[in-house]
Amino acid sequence: MTDYNAPLKDLNFVINELAGLQEISKLPGFEHATDDLLEPILEEASRFAREVLGPTNTVGDQGGCRVKDGVVSVPSELSEAYQLFVEGGWQGLDCSAEHGGMGLPVLIGSATAEMWQGANLALGLCPMLTAGAIETIEAHASEELKQLYLEKMISGEWTGTMDLTEPQAGSDLAAIKTQAVPDTGHYIISGTKIFITWGDHEMTENVVHLVLARLPDAPEGIRGISLFLVPKFLVNDDGSLGDRNDVFVTSVEHKLGIHASPTCVLNYGDNGGAIGYLIGQENRGLACMFTMMNLARLQVGIQGLAVSERSYQAARDYAKERVQGEVLGSPGPARIIQHPDVRRMLMTMKSLIEAMRATAYVTAATIDISRHTEDADVRNEASGRTALLTPIVKGWLTEVAQELTSIGVQIHGGTGFVEETGAAQYLRDARILTIYEGTTGIQANDLVGRKILADSGLAMQHLLKEIAELDPVLASCGPELESIRSAVATGRQRLEEATNWLLGKTQDKPDAVYLAAFDYLMLAGTVVGAWQMGRAAEIAHKKLAGNDGDAEFHKAKVITARFYAEEILPRSAGYFEAATSDSSSAMDLQEDQF
Ligand SMILES: Cc1cc2nc3c(=O)[nH]c(=O)nc-3n(C[C@H](O)[C@H](O)[C@H](O)COP(=O)(O)OP(=O)(O)OC[C@H]3O[C@@H](n4cnc5c(N)ncnc54)[C@H](O)[C@@H]3O)c2cc1C
């Protein structure tokens, strides 16, 4: 089985050349985030992912997790790896320095997150959720809660969870019923949450739940939801652990993938009520939770990228070794990587992965800019871009991950379908990614509803303008990049027309917009990916001409970008046609005809 190796060359290229680390390190608060500090950090993270986290992936998949007498256990190898993660201070990398973090950009946190998720996606979920909880507490909780909880969470000694889902409230959070009754200095929480990732475990001494609940007199719907911090163990004023709180796991789910991640049913208040503390204002909880959800959406997109990368590495190594058949014009046994169709599959994986990585990291960079710039116009532009790209990163990257991890199995042939190579696990693990943290349907609705229509297409227009600016730059590179130039221009044109089509539909046919939403999202992802690959090709081309840096890597980048332009971008025609078809057949069929 192939070991996981973080793709450091591409990571460094994307971080520096596409996401603009140099510009980010000029922003107030990021002066220390320079290349000479970051390079060794990424190298050490890569070693940690390969040597410590990676080897736990199969063990976790096979061992799974259990609950016995209310105690959740995971294989000891995972627990040991997590302790080393805490000792290495990895959780705090991109957390604020005020409470013990290193204060590095989200861009760098995204790169290490890709490594954790590539090495072991089920385990990687734990620090991912802790990171979201830390952000939410930092942004919205009282000083007192920050003082009591943040240091231990940033060190990784306590983990965090996100407790939204209830049996009747999945995509529709307005249906949440968990109750919060005001008491002296706190609230009493009661209800049941389901599907809570790392909802309980013994890897750390405390688990901090961020719980959505409703006050007794709260308005109906999402305007009546509040957010609470509910620790597994209460915390005394001096920071020491107090009584066990009334939140207990009743079961963990048996699932298709991510076996080592406990997906818990949690009962609050079976013994009188769990003590919870309000975060933000009463009835304004969903807005606070969106801090956590937005980061989680970027991170789940990165999970899609990471598991695709791991699947690719395994498929590539297998294809270089497996001998089967002959290649025309070259007598003698061939390794399967020599067959045109296998090379097509590998290039599909490689080119989409590179486009996904660039799209995710460029989005992470917009978060850093929007948080640290002192220029209000730049801040508005960057936060509009983050909002626009977040559902694309979550939706497109995770949908593509389904295709790529499936190709990973295909390249292995029958061996891929049995469990020994790991290829099957990557496909199973990837399957959840389009479901949790908002299904693709919900991301697509968010994209067309909130990010295009509610914005009158403004953020998208800015994006389209920037994509157009690449055209003369690519044209100046000559015939080698012509197919890339032409593909980016065609994709951009389709995205613009589809956007105008959406904007024109709001009044007469609101259904049409939501029927088109998925294809529009996939179109946007495919075109943004092409834009990033176009940028990458132009930079690599220039570096090759100037004899600057790793020529092999830059040559491969240009070829991979050409493949994306010639073989992947044409998909945008199908998405465009489907999105703008004006067909309502999906709605025309009566329910009983399904
Ligand atoms: C392994 C795992 C881990 C999870 N971890 C967590 C966690 O840590 N915390 C947490 O709170 N939750 C968690 N969840 C829950 C997860 O976020 C939900 O499963 C997800 O949001 C979908 O909700 P649902 O399962 O109720 O599906 P439903 O909401 O019933 O959706 C079913 C289908 O209907 C579609 N649909 C529903 N509404 C709409 C709409 N308005 N427009 C278009 N299509 C729609 C969906 O896209 C989907 O295809 C986890 C789930 C799993 C399986």
Side-chain angles (χ1 to χ4, degrees), residues 97-409:
E98 199 189 334
H99 297 281
M102 277 186 77
L104 290 176
V106 173
L107 176 60
I108 300 305
S110 300
T112 52
E114 180 185 336
M115 298 188 208
W116 316 148
Q117 306 299 346
N120 186 334
L121 198 134
L123 181 59
L125 270 163
C126 189
M128 183 188 116
L129 285 155
T130 306
I134 290 168
E135 280 238 336
T136 309
I137 295 169
E138 272 196 326
H140 304 289
S142 65
E143 248 341 281
E144 203 184 337
L145 287 178
K146 287 185 196 172
Q147 291 304 332
L148 275 184
Y149 288 90
L150 279 180
E151 210 176 299
K152 294 275 189 186
M153 294 177 77
I154 288 174
S155 70
E157 288 166 273
W158 298 349
T159 62
T161 74
M162 171 161 119
D163 299 23
L164 284 64
T165 308
E166 298 175 10
Q168 77 296 343
S171 300
D172 182 11
L173 295 175
I176 278 174
K177 283 188 185 154
T178 294
Q179 274 239 327
V181 178
D183 200 20
T184 356
H186 56 251
Y187 294 74
I188 300 294
I189 313 289
S190 55
T192 298
K193 293 287 178 181
I194 63 166
F195 293 156
I196 305 307
T197 297
W198 287 95
D200 198 26
H201 57 85
E202 296 280 286
M203 294 201 310
T204 57
E205 59 180 9
N206 208 1
V207 180
V208 181
H209 304 287
L210 296 199
V211 184
L212 287 183
R214 209 175 262 293
L215 298 171
D217 56 353
E220 292 285 306
I222 52 167
R223 288 201 173 74
I225 293 175
S226 308
L227 178 63
F228 299 89
L229 183 155
V230 187
K232 175 176 173 182
F233 283 94
L234 298 174
V235 179
N236 299 318
D237 289 347
D238 64 358
S240 61
L241 290 188
D243 292 341
R244 179 74 163 84
N245 206 359
D246 189 8
V247 45
F248 290 94
V249 60
T250 55
S251 63
V252 296
E253 307 295 348
H254 296 277
K255 338 189 264 294
L256 179 64
I258 52 166
H259 289 159
S261 155
T263 306
C264 302
V265 176
L266 292 180
N267 268 10
Y268 289 85
D270 277 355
N271 306 301
I275 291 180
Y277 308 95
L278 184 71
I279 294 183
Q281 292 171 27
E282 289 184 350
N283 300 330
R284 303 287 298 274
L286 206 57
C288 302
M289 200 53 146
F290 258 103
T291 302
M292 186 163 188
M293 283 155 66
N294 277 331
L295 187 74
R297 286 174 178 185
L298 170 67
Q299 298 250 349
V300 175
I302 289 174
Q303 286 190 315
L305 158 68
V307 73
S308 301
E309 169 72 38
R310 185 153 195 183
S311 176
Y312 167 69
Q313 291 183 12
R316 176 201 60 199
D317 291 359
Y318 184 79
K320 285 183 180 174
E321 280 176 9
R322 169 78 172 159
V323 174
Q324 200 66 195
E326 281 186 8
V327 178
L328 276 180
S330 163
R335 288 167 300 111
I336 61 169
I337 196 167
Q338 295 173 263
H339 295 301
D341 188 56
V342 174
R343 295 176 83 89
R344 172 193 64 79
M345 289 193 278
L346 283 171
M347 277 304 269
T348 301
M349 294 182 91
K350 181 171 160 57
S351 64
L352 273 160
I353 286 167
E354 291 183 15
M356 288 154 85
R357 180 171 295 117
T359 303
Y361 288 26
V362 161
T363 306
T366 64
I367 298 178
D368 289 320
I369 296 167
S370 67
R371 288 181 185 172
H372 284 254
T373 180
E374 283 169 338
D375 182 324
D377 291 339
V378 175
R379 186 181 316 121
N380 285 342
E381 173 84 25
S383 56
R385 181 66 59 86
T386 310
L388 178 69
L389 291 181
T390 298
I392 297 172
V393 170
K394 165 55 168 94
W396 183 61
L397 268 63
T398 61
E399 287 292 334
V400 172
Q402 309 309 309
E403 175 190 352
L404 299 193
T405 52
S406 179
I407 295 177
V409 170

Side-chain angles (χ1 to χ4, degrees), residues 347-348 351-352 396 526 563-572:
M347 277 304 269
T348 301
S351 64
L352 273 160
W396 183 61
T526 309
F563 182 89
Y564 189 99
E566 292 160 13
E567 305 288 330
I568 304 293
L569 193 277
R571 297 175 182 197
S572 64

